[in-house]
């Protein structure tokens, strides 16, 4: 199997196996490489999990989503297991922008460290849009109770 990413042959390929009482140092067992797409998906999930952040369906129409214009916009730059993340997010009115942006930064840092093993040097969240709550209700498929005047 020449296209496998492992440097050492598998036991089924004739490699010597270690006995159960022999300890292998963690650094000698291999390495974990996290793809850039994984970092972006974990970041997106962390951002959308913060209360007050508008879901991507509420920030643009079907065509806009297909063209990649929905919020959040995510730009990650990585060097090894370190990352810097720039975000543009949309909030649901009347969420407090400073508080939600701080929560987003904390959530992204925590989720990337926990789920991907990536150390975050910087997270910058910019509130780029405010979404009306009725747009969120329409996007999620729930109906808003109408008042009779």
């Amino acid at each position: 199997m020449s296209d496998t990413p492992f440097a050492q042959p598998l036991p089924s390929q004739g490699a010597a196996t270690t006995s159960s009482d022999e300890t292998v140092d963690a650094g000698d067992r291999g390495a974990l490489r996290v793809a850039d797409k994984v970092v972006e998906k974990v970041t997106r999930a962390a951002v959308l999990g913060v209360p007050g952040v508008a879901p991507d369906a509420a920030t643009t129409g079907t065509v806009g989503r297909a063209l990649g214009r929905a919020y959040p916009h995510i730009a990650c730059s990585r060097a090894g297991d370190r990352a810097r993340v720039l975000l543009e997010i949309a909030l649901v009115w009347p969420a407090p922008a400073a508080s939600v942006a701080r929560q987003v930064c904390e959530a992204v840092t925590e989720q990337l460290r926990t789920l991907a093993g990536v150390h975050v040097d910087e997270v910058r969240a910019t509130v780029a849009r405010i979404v009306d709550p009725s747009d969120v209700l329409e996007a999620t498929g729930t109906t808003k109770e109408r008042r009779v005047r």
Side-chain angles (χ1 to χ4, degrees):
M1 295 185 159
S2 62
D3 58 342
T4 59
F6 302 107
Q8 298 178 353
L10 298 172
S12 63
Q13 297 172 332
T17 59
T18 58
S19 65
S20 61
D21 40 333
E22 201 175 311
T23 309
V24 179
D25 186 40
D28 295 335
R29 286 185 256 164
L32 173 66
R33 292 188 185 137
V34 179
D36 291 343
K37 277 277 199 204
V38 172
V39 172
E40 288 182 21
K41 287 186 179 199
V42 170
T43 300
R44 179 174 300 279
V47 168
L48 294 174
V50 174
V53 174
D56 56 355
T59 62
T60 189
T62 305
V63 174
R65 266 193 310 281
L67 295 174
R69 295 183 182 154
Y71 289 98
H73 294 174
I74 301 168
C76 296
S77 61
R78 293 189 47 208
D81 67 341
R82 305 194 80 75
R84 287 191 171 154
V85 182
L86 303 176
L87 303 167
E88 289 184 4
I89 59 175
L91 300 184
V92 179
W93 176 260
S99 174
V100 173
R102 185 175 48 256
Q103 290 174 15
V104 164
C105 293
E106 291 169 357
V108 168
T109 301
E110 177 64 28
Q111 292 296 316
L112 284 176
R113 184 183 28 195
T114 303
L115 299 177
V118 174
H119 301 283
V120 180
D121 293 328
E122 177 184 20
V123 179
R124 258 191 252 168
T126 302
V127 177
R129 186 168 177 202
I130 303 293
V131 177
D132 188 278
S134 64
D135 293 341
V136 174
L137 293 173
E138 289 172 12
T140 57
T142 57
T143 57
K144 185 164 97 172
E145 182 179 321
R146 300 203 179 244
R147 291 185 167 178
V148 178
R149 290 187 181 188

